[in-house]
Amino acid sequence: MRIRKVEAWWVRVPIEERRQHRSDFGRTVTFDAAIVRIETDDGIVGWGEGKNAAGSSGSYGALVHLLNHEIGPRLIGRDPADISPIWEMLYNGVRHEMAATAGHAMPELARRGLTVAAISAVDIALWDILGKSLGQPVWRLLGGRKAERLPAYASGGWADADTIADQLRGYIEAGGFKAVKMRVGAMDGTPHVSAERVRAARAALGPDTDLMVDAHGTYTVAEAKRFCRLVADCDLAWFEEPVIADDKPGMAEVRAASHIPIAAGESEATRFAFRDLAVLKAADILQPDPAFCGGITEAMRIAALASAFNLRFAPHLWAGAPCFFSGLHVCAASPASFIIEFSLGANPMIHDLIEEEVRVTDGMIAIPEKPGLGFTVREDFLRAHAIGGP
Ligand SMILES: [Mg+2]
């Protein structure tokens, strides 16, 4: 089995006005992703996804160019089952043979960002191919699954203090969720406005529903501490990205100052960055995004790090289908996982891009049974919304 063709597209799906929401990322008028299709010489097709922007929308021209014109050509003729050697080849660049012999990394200068997003897309597609070629779901190749269904949490919560109760109750009615996450931070101006919204949410949910908050890294350390004090009696299950990813010592300071568990990692890539989060005691819950951190291969390594440091693992899965399904398989196979992020904003990159229905029932989501990642891309839909491609 050899790789015959690598094609990537910038897929941009408009979101109808009544389903748009506004956060610190602005109004989400589109859902964008870089989607890669890798085909083998025996006709197996694997799908992957790379990401370079938080929120739903973003510019994917450069990432798609990288996949089509720089990384893609290096994969032609390779055995797609060599997933880890291909990862290291792309990460270590011209010194990859030296690195393989020496037994330690010698990465390219471009060792984060677009490069690792592109590696992520390739890695996800290669796991999909391996599963399909063996007739096995990816979780089985990762060592098996710990459950047939895992708990999911409703990820959304942008409404103001007067309407947040209705918004979160709506999520719970739709999927039976036992946990919900709402947005806080710069979109509210000052910490006390966010705190009022959180108190309204807690009052509406009662004590038995887990409530998490996500500041998207928009507080200073001082603001994050103020916010923690203001919501100290709200029993938050986690406080996500209190400060920017580039201030890990600051995040550790917030964690040390509060009893609220800190979650972080959607803005981090590779095991090396997550090692730093763990060593600096900056987070309780590691949240790699499979389409940004380095794919399924790297997400599994990060999950192992979480377990080794007695931390927990809850990947960032606000994403399209290839990334979201990757998260399902990785969580199914990881001892440190405990919950799946399920986006409650409009998400055509899951619900319209693939044929399968993705649903949460009684707060639980099924781990896919089909070979590979377990979804079928509607190629006509993809091509109809591709604004950049090979
Ligand atoms: Mg987040």
Side-chain angles (χ1 to χ4, degrees):
M1 188 169 60
R2 297 285 154 183
I3 294 172
R4 181 169 65 189
K5 202 195 282 182
V6 179
E7 301 165 284
W9 297 269
W10 174 359
V11 181
R12 161 166 280 183
V13 188
I15 296 173
E16 55 182 321
E17 199 169 339
R18 68 179 182 87
R19 304 217 58 209
Q20 296 172 3
H21 68 265
R22 179 177 285 285
S23 74
D24 47 294
F25 294 125
R27 194 162 187 85
T28 55
V29 297
T30 59
F31 204 114
D32 297 69
I35 302 291
V36 68
R37 179 187 188 276
I38 300 183
E39 189 178 326
T40 69
D41 56 3
D42 49 4
I44 296 175
V45 171
W47 294 93
E49 176 179 358
K51 191 184 290 179
N52 61 6
S56 308
S57 54
S59 294
Y60 284 89
L63 178 51
V64 164
H65 182 89
L66 190 56
L67 283 161
N68 282 321
H69 300 290
E70 296 186 22
I71 285 182
R74 295 169 67 189
L75 304 176
I76 304 303
R78 292 286 309 242
D79 182 344
D82 283 341
I83 298 176
S84 186
I86 287 173
W87 200 105
E88 297 298 326
M89 175 191 78
L90 297 175
Y91 184 66
N92 289 306
V94 292
R95 297 180 295 183
H96 72 272
E97 286 173 346
M98 220 182 282
T101 305
H104 61 91
M106 302 182 190
E108 296 265 29
L109 275 187
R111 71 192 208 292
R112 298 286 190 274
L114 288 184
T115 312
V116 179
I119 295 173
S120 304
V122 168
D123 184 86
I124 290 169
L126 296 185
W127 278 104
D128 193 25
I129 288 172
L130 184 62
K132 287 170 176 168
S133 71
L134 298 172
Q136 297 290 339
V138 168
W139 54 259
R140 196 181 298 284
L141 310 178
L142 298 175
R145 65 177 167 181
K146 61 185 181 185
E148 291 179 4
R149 302 197 306 160
L150 288 176
Y153 72 88
S155 185
W158 304 274
D160 62 20
D162 292 334
T163 52
I164 189 76
D166 287 343
Q167 188 171 52
L168 300 186
R169 280 199 207 105
Y171 300 162
I172 291 170
E173 277 163 30
F177 295 95
K178 313 279 187 299
V180 298
K181 186 170 87 185
M182 61 184 284
R183 268 60 190 181
V184 298
M187 68 178 214
D188 289 330
T190 66
H192 79 82
V193 175
S194 287
E196 278 165 34
R197 294 176 52 241
V198 173
R199 278 198 295 273
R202 174 49 84 202
L205 296 172
D208 296 327
T209 300
D210 275 340
L211 177 62
M212 295 87 94
V213 297
D214 186 351
H216 295 164
T218 58
Y219 282 140
T220 62
V221 170
E223 286 169 330
K225 288 184 192 171
R226 276 171 69 197
F227 172 79
C228 286
R229 188 176 56 78
L230 290 167
V231 297
D233 59 350
C234 290
D235 192 26
L236 295 179
W238 78 56
F239 181 12
E240 180 169 328
E241 289 201 300
V243 300
I244 54 168
D246 281 331
D247 187 9
K248 291 186 184 70
M251 200 179 298
E253 193 181 331
V254 175
R255 181 175 182 246
S258 168
H259 64 277
I260 305 172
I262 301 297
E266 70 181 76
S267 305
E268 302 287 3
T270 78
R271 57 197 181 270
F272 304 107
F274 282 87
R275 173 209 56 204
D276 291 347
L277 275 178
V279 168
L280 289 168
K281 297 184 180 297
D284 299 274
I285 295 147
L286 304 186
Q287 300 182 295
D289 183 313
F292 183 71
C293 77
I296 290 172
T297 300
E298 203 68 354
M300 286 299 291
R301 293 168 176 157
I302 294 160
L305 268 175
S307 181
F309 279 84
N310 199 24
L311 304 173
R312 297 199 292 169
F313 177 78
H316 178 254
L317 300 178
W318 189 284
C323 176
F324 180 76
F325 277 65
S326 296
L328 294 180
H329 290 269
V330 169
C331 284
S334 299
S337 72
F338 64 107
I339 201 159
I340 302 285
E341 178 171 25
F342 191 81
S343 50
L344 267 287
N347 191 338
M349 210 62 78
I350 289 181
H351 299 294
D352 299 325
L353 181 67
I354 63 171
E355 289 175 8
E356 292 76 9
E357 192 184 355
V358 179
R359 223 173 12 156
V360 172
T361 311
D362 299 329
M364 305 291 283
I365 187 157
I367 303 304
E369 304 279 353
K370 287 192 220 171
L373 290 170
F375 60 82
T376 313
V377 169
R378 293 171 54 204
E379 295 204 37
D380 54 339
F381 179 88
L382 183 150
R383 284 170 209 277
H385 294 92
I387 61 171

PDB file of all heavy atoms in Angstrom, residues 181 214 216 240 266 316, ligand 1:
ATOM      1  N   LYS A 181     -20.584  24.181  29.226  1.00  0.00           N
ATOM      2  CA  LYS A 181     -19.505  25.168  29.299  1.00  0.00           C
ATOM      3  C   LYS A 181     -19.974  26.471  28.681  1.00  0.00           C
ATOM      4  O   LYS A 181     -20.583  26.466  27.619  1.00  0.00           O
ATOM      5  CB  LYS A 181     -18.267  24.656  28.560  1.00  0.00           C
ATOM      6  CG  LYS A 181     -17.047  25.552  28.691  1.00  0.00           C
ATOM      7  CD  LYS A 181     -15.808  24.863  28.140  1.00  0.00           C
ATOM      8  CE  LYS A 181     -15.637  25.068  26.660  1.00  0.00           C
ATOM      9  NZ  LYS A 181     -14.511  24.301  26.115  1.00  0.00           N
ATOM     10  N   ASP A 214     -14.909  29.321  30.005  1.00  0.00           N
ATOM     11  CA  ASP A 214     -13.789  29.412  29.067  1.00  0.00           C
ATOM     12  C   ASP A 214     -13.553  30.881  28.754  1.00  0.00           C
ATOM     13  O   ASP A 214     -14.435  31.553  28.210  1.00  0.00           O
ATOM     14  CB  ASP A 214     -14.143  28.638  27.788  1.00  0.00           C
ATOM     15  CG  ASP A 214     -12.989  28.560  26.803  1.00  0.00           C
ATOM     16  OD1 ASP A 214     -11.971  29.250  27.024  1.00  0.00           O
ATOM     17  OD2 ASP A 214     -13.113  27.816  25.818  1.00  0.00           O
ATOM     18  N   HIS A 216     -11.010  31.911  26.810  1.00  0.00           N
ATOM     19  CA  HIS A 216     -10.266  32.016  25.538  1.00  0.00           C
ATOM     20  C   HIS A 216      -8.935  32.756  25.713  1.00  0.00           C
ATOM     21  O   HIS A 216      -8.478  33.430  24.783  1.00  0.00           O
ATOM     22  CB  HIS A 216     -11.098  32.725  24.460  1.00  0.00           C
ATOM     23  CG  HIS A 216     -12.328  31.979  24.030  1.00  0.00           C
ATOM     24  ND1 HIS A 216     -13.348  32.555  23.328  1.00  0.00           N
ATOM     25  CD2 HIS A 216     -12.701  30.679  24.193  1.00  0.00           C
ATOM     26  CE1 HIS A 216     -14.308  31.678  23.085  1.00  0.00           C
ATOM     27  NE2 HIS A 216     -13.937  30.524  23.596  1.00  0.00           N
ATOM     28  N   GLU A 240     -11.197  27.472  31.873  1.00  0.00           N
ATOM     29  CA  GLU A 240     -10.381  27.159  30.689  1.00  0.00           C
ATOM     30  C   GLU A 240      -9.672  28.394  30.149  1.00  0.00           C
ATOM     31  O   GLU A 240     -10.277  29.461  30.029  1.00  0.00           O
ATOM     32  CB  GLU A 240     -11.323  26.570  29.630  1.00  0.00           C
ATOM     33  CG  GLU A 240     -10.659  26.184  28.319  1.00  0.00           C
ATOM     34  CD  GLU A 240     -11.614  25.364  27.454  1.00  0.00           C
ATOM     35  OE1 GLU A 240     -12.457  24.615  28.012  1.00  0.00           O
ATOM     36  OE2 GLU A 240     -11.527  25.466  26.217  1.00  0.00           O
ATOM     37  N   GLU A 266      -5.721  24.065  24.025  1.00  0.00           N
ATOM     38  CA  GLU A 266      -6.166  24.112  22.624  1.00  0.00           C
ATOM     39  C   GLU A 266      -5.258  24.988  21.779  1.00  0.00           C
ATOM     40  O   GLU A 266      -5.261  24.883  20.559  1.00  0.00           O
ATOM     41  CB  GLU A 266      -7.624  24.587  22.539  1.00  0.00           C
ATOM     42  CG  GLU A 266      -7.832  26.041  22.895  1.00  0.00           C
ATOM     43  CD  GLU A 266      -9.297  26.449  22.811  1.00  0.00           C
ATOM     44  OE1 GLU A 266     -10.061  26.095  23.722  1.00  0.00           O
ATOM     45  OE2 GLU A 266      -9.682  27.104  21.824  1.00  0.00           O
ATOM     46  N   HIS A 316      -9.754  19.485  22.933  1.00  0.00           N
ATOM     47  CA  HIS A 316     -10.560  20.543  22.309  1.00  0.00           C
ATOM     48  C   HIS A 316     -11.138  19.992  21.013  1.00  0.00           C
ATOM     49  O   HIS A 316     -10.396  19.631  20.098  1.00  0.00           O
ATOM     50  CB  HIS A 316      -9.661  21.744  22.012  1.00  0.00           C
ATOM     51  CG  HIS A 316     -10.349  22.872  21.322  1.00  0.00           C
ATOM     52  ND1 HIS A 316     -10.155  23.168  19.988  1.00  0.00           N
ATOM     53  CD2 HIS A 316     -11.255  23.780  21.781  1.00  0.00           C
ATOM     54  CE1 HIS A 316     -10.894  24.214  19.668  1.00  0.00           C
ATOM     55  NE2 HIS A 316     -11.569  24.604  20.730  1.00  0.00           N
TER      56      HIS A 316
HETATM   57 MG    MG B   1     -11.681  26.743  24.643  1.00  0.00          MG
END
